[in-house]
Amino acid sequence: MTTDPTKYKLNHSMIRVKDPKRSVEFYEFLGMKLINKIQNPDAKFDLYFLAYDSPKAVSHANHWTDREGIVELTHNYGTEDDPNYKIANGNTDPRGFGHLCISVDNIQAACQRIEDAGYKFQKKLTDGKMRHIAFVLDPDSYWVEVIGQKPLEETESIKETNVETYRMNHTMIRIKDPEVSLNFYKDVMGMELKRTSESKNGGFNLYFLGYGPPAPDGTADREGLLELTWNYGTEKDPNFKYHDGNAQPQGFGHICITVDDLDAACARFEEKKVNWKKKLTDGRMKDIAFVLDPDGYWVEVVQNEKLKQRCNW
């Protein structure tokens, strides 16, 4: 058995939602399509997989395991009728997960369309110093960053936006120690560092990792990137810890990579001496594994069914 990490994909990011109807409606408004739904009535939860799937999408018509940039919504039955149920969005204490991010053809028109539909913003384009990014709030108050695929000045006179050209660009998580985390995602998970953004005045660095070819012209037109945010000094505090989203209060659940050969990939991870949340052989689900990253975030590992058939999802 062999495995080739260059064939891996950053397939999806999972977040828990209170009301699946409202959440699916929101992400469909952003141009995504429900490409798969897995119902688990015995365990009282359903999974909704949304992705960009127009003819202009990167992974148009691919099997859901052979894609990048999917958002998985997890709904536990009954939360929609519980007035006290509320997710932790990762940006108020306890902090950890930061946001999802979509890139759009025309950021001014895209933001105007979102505002006209009545959705709330955490940050509008005109707020603060950074006039090239916005953050819209989904129905559970998760932050969804909006960035432009072109410079602001190229799109400001254009009033139209085409959701078919949007990309599910990246998922951001905060990390304690960049050296440790970068080594894990590069050496263990096989990702490449595509871009680094240093903000010394702000006291933080951003690292963008992913699979696929280099990104010499920037990363805005990509899908399936992972953004690691490091706030200076956290690595020196022995007691500092981020929230993984799976301990209470819950919110973000995991990122997921799909691999060319699940058994071989997990054997490779074992050789790398990873910390496991769930090995393939644990429990009833023999087609899913979970690795823990250095901050305790869960990384799901699943077979890419296009490369090798394993289960009938």
Side-chain angles (χ1 to χ4, degrees):
M1 293 192 303
T2 59
T3 183
D4 179 0
T6 65
K7 294 180 180 177
Y8 296 1
K9 292 178 181 287
L10 182 48
N11 179 253
H12 70 254
S13 301
M14 185 276 265
I15 55 175
R16 296 173 177 88
V17 300
K18 177 183 174 82
D19 185 336
K21 183 179 178 182
R22 290 182 66 209
S23 294
V24 169
E25 184 179 78
F26 170 81
Y27 287 100
E28 287 183 336
F29 178 78
L30 294 184
M32 295 185 185
K33 179 183 176 183
L34 185 65
I35 60 167
N36 192 31
K37 181 179 179 182
I38 298 177
Q39 296 176 289
N40 294 278
D42 293 342
K44 294 184 167 53
F45 71 90
D46 293 337
L47 310 176
Y48 301 79
F49 295 83
L50 293 109
Y52 288 106
D53 196 46
S54 78
K56 295 181 180 179
V58 177
S59 305
H60 171 61
N62 286 18
H63 188 272
W64 74 269
T65 60
D66 188 42
R67 291 172 177 259
E68 296 193 299
I70 296 175
V71 177
E72 176 190 355
L73 308 179
T74 292
H75 170 236
N76 294 294
Y77 295 0
T79 55
E80 69 277 20
D81 299 318
D82 181 354
N84 297 316
Y85 181 82
K86 191 173 185 295
I87 65 91
N89 72 5
N91 291 301
T92 56
D93 289 332
R95 297 200 311 161
F97 168 74
H99 59 258
L100 304 173
C101 174
I102 63 169
S103 66
V104 300
D105 58 344
N106 181 339
I107 192 167
Q108 294 97 330
C111 287
Q112 189 62 54
R113 176 178 175 269
I114 293 168
E115 187 173 356
D116 290 346
Y119 291 112
K120 296 178 181 178
F121 282 79
Q122 176 67 29
K123 177 202 174 301
K124 295 185 179 182
L125 281 179
T126 51
D127 295 340
K129 293 180 181 178
M130 294 187 292
R131 299 299 175 97
H132 60 289
I133 62 172
F135 286 91
V136 63
L137 295 173
D138 91 343
D140 287 286
S141 81
Y142 291 111
W143 296 15
V144 180
E145 184 179 11
V146 185
I147 61 173
Q149 295 165 4
K150 298 177 182 177
L152 277 174
E153 57 272 14
E154 289 186 22
T155 56
E156 59 186 352
S157 63
I158 305 170
K159 303 302 181 186
E160 292 85 30
T161 181
N162 181 1
V163 297
E164 292 190 355
T165 65
Y166 291 9
R167 305 276 188 259
M168 176 38 213
N169 182 253
H170 70 255
T171 297
M172 187 277 265
I173 55 175
R174 297 176 178 89
I175 58 166
K176 174 175 178 169
D177 188 324
E179 186 176 346
V180 174
S181 291
L182 287 170
N183 184 65
F184 171 82
Y185 283 104
K186 290 195 293 183
D187 179 57
V188 179
M189 290 294 151
M191 295 183 184
E192 291 185 350
L193 182 61
K194 305 296 185 185
R195 182 165 71 86
T196 300
S197 176
E198 296 185 358
S199 180
K200 292 181 178 177
N201 291 337
F204 65 89
N205 287 1
L206 310 177
Y207 305 94
F208 294 85
L209 299 105
Y211 299 104
D217 300 323
T219 55
D221 64 342
R222 301 289 283 262
E223 285 195 328
L225 296 175
L226 178 66
E227 176 187 359
L228 305 179
T229 293
W230 168 51
N231 292 293
Y232 298 173
T234 52
E235 77 285 4
K236 298 173 184 174
D237 182 351
N239 298 316
F240 187 87
K241 192 175 187 301
Y242 281 118
H243 181 64
D244 66 7
N246 292 302
Q248 295 294 339
Q250 293 183 317
F252 165 77
H254 61 259
I255 59 172
C256 173
I257 64 168
T258 58
V259 298
D260 54 348
D261 187 303
L262 185 57
D263 292 298
C266 287
R268 178 179 170 274
F269 294 146
E270 186 72 33
E271 291 173 3
K272 295 283 187 181
K273 295 182 168 54
V274 301
N275 291 319
W276 294 96
K277 179 65 183 178
K278 178 200 175 299
K279 295 186 178 184
L280 278 180
T281 51
D282 295 341
R284 290 184 298 169
M285 296 185 292
K286 306 298 185 185
D287 298 312
I288 299 173
F290 283 93
V291 174
L292 295 174
D293 92 341
D295 287 280
Y297 296 112
W298 297 15
V299 181
E300 186 179 19
V301 189
V302 175
Q303 176 66 47
N304 182 330
E305 296 289 324
K306 181 187 177 185
L307 301 180
K308 183 179 181 180
Q309 287 196 317
R310 183 183 178 99
C311 54
N312 184 28
W313 290 106

